[in-house]
């Protein structure tokens, strides 16, 4: 069964709201035959990445970049997963207070290095997620999961 791995750093209620919406979309009625695995970024391993067929990444913007937790994840898995995971689909969401530019740039840069294929537009939210923001997160999860259906 194809596997979707969600790797997330979720330190606050606003990040949690985005994570839950992404998870809800990825496991929605109509998404058949896709196993969804979720890992906190500090506990995700290269084996998790190698075992999965697609990825969703979630992080706050911190000090102009992705969280240290998600960066640590990439630091750990980059070389063990390089080449083997090339071409696999991914999506991401970023929550920030006012400016998520550096976090987005970092995610786009590292995933380009890995050769992953972005399967949906990244979702960025600043401040408290509104209804439309939550819906965009849901769509992100559903889109990436649906792409893994046989
Ligand atoms: C140390 C620190 C640095 C931060 N740096 C940024 C930043 O560079 N850009 C930004 O948009 N938000 C920044 N934030 C805000 C966080 O992204 C935000 O707190 C996080 O997404 C959780 O959202 P919440 O506090 O609204 O629940 C920072 C927060 C902290 C604590």
């Amino acid at each position: 069964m194809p596997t979707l791995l969600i790797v997330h750093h979720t330190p606050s209620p606003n990040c949690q709201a985005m994570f839950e919406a992404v998870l809800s979309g990825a496991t929605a009625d109509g998404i058949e035959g896709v196993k969804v695995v979720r890992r906190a970024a500090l506990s995700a391993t290269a084996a998790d990445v190698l075992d999965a067929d697609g990825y969703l990444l979630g992080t706050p913007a911190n000090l102009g970049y992705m969280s240290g937790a998600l960066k640590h994840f990439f630091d750990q898995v980059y070389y063990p997963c390089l080449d083997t995971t090339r071409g696999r689909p991914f999506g991401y969401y970023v929550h920030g207070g006012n400016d998520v530019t550096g976090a987005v740039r970092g995610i786009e840069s590292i995933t380009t290095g890995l050769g992953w294929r972005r399967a949906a537009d990244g979702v960025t939210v600043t401040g408290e997620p509104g209804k439309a923001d939550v819906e965009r997160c849901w769509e992100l999860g559903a889109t990436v999961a649906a792409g893994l259906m046989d």
Side-chain angles (χ1 to χ4, degrees):
M1 183 184 291
T3 298
L4 173 61
L5 175 67
I6 306 177
V7 179
H8 64 105
H9 182 56
T10 306
S12 81
N14 285 337
C15 294
Q16 180 74 16
M18 294 179 73
F19 168 70
E20 286 178 5
V22 166
L23 180 63
S24 174
T27 56
D29 290 348
I31 308 287
E32 306 281 345
V34 178
K35 180 182 174 190
V36 177
V37 174
R38 29 179 157 152
R39 292 278 184 270
L42 290 174
S43 66
T45 66
D48 292 326
V49 177
L50 293 169
D51 286 347
D53 302 282
Y55 313 103
L56 280 164
L57 310 162
T59 183
N62 280 346
L63 303 173
Y65 202 63
M66 72 184 81
S67 68
L70 191 65
K71 175 63 162 47
H72 173 73
F73 162 75
F74 280 125
D75 288 350
Q76 275 202 313
V77 308
Y78 189 87
Y79 280 108
C81 297
L82 193 61
D83 293 333
T84 310
T85 60
R86 195 169 289 279
R88 292 185 189 172
F90 81 100
Y92 66 84
Y93 62 93
V94 178
H95 183 267
N98 58 348
D99 182 6
V100 300
T101 311
V104 166
R105 190 186 308 118
I107 292 168
E108 295 274 5
S109 170
I110 294 171
T111 51
T112 296
L114 284 164
W116 292 359
R117 173 177 56 82
R118 187 158 56 71
D121 288 342
V123 174
T124 65
V125 174
T126 53
E128 185 173 353
K131 188 165 178 284
D133 298 319
V134 169
E135 284 173 3
R136 286 190 297 135
C137 290
W138 191 96
E139 287 290 341
L140 171 67
T143 300
V144 178
L148 295 178
M149 287 168 61
D150 286 331

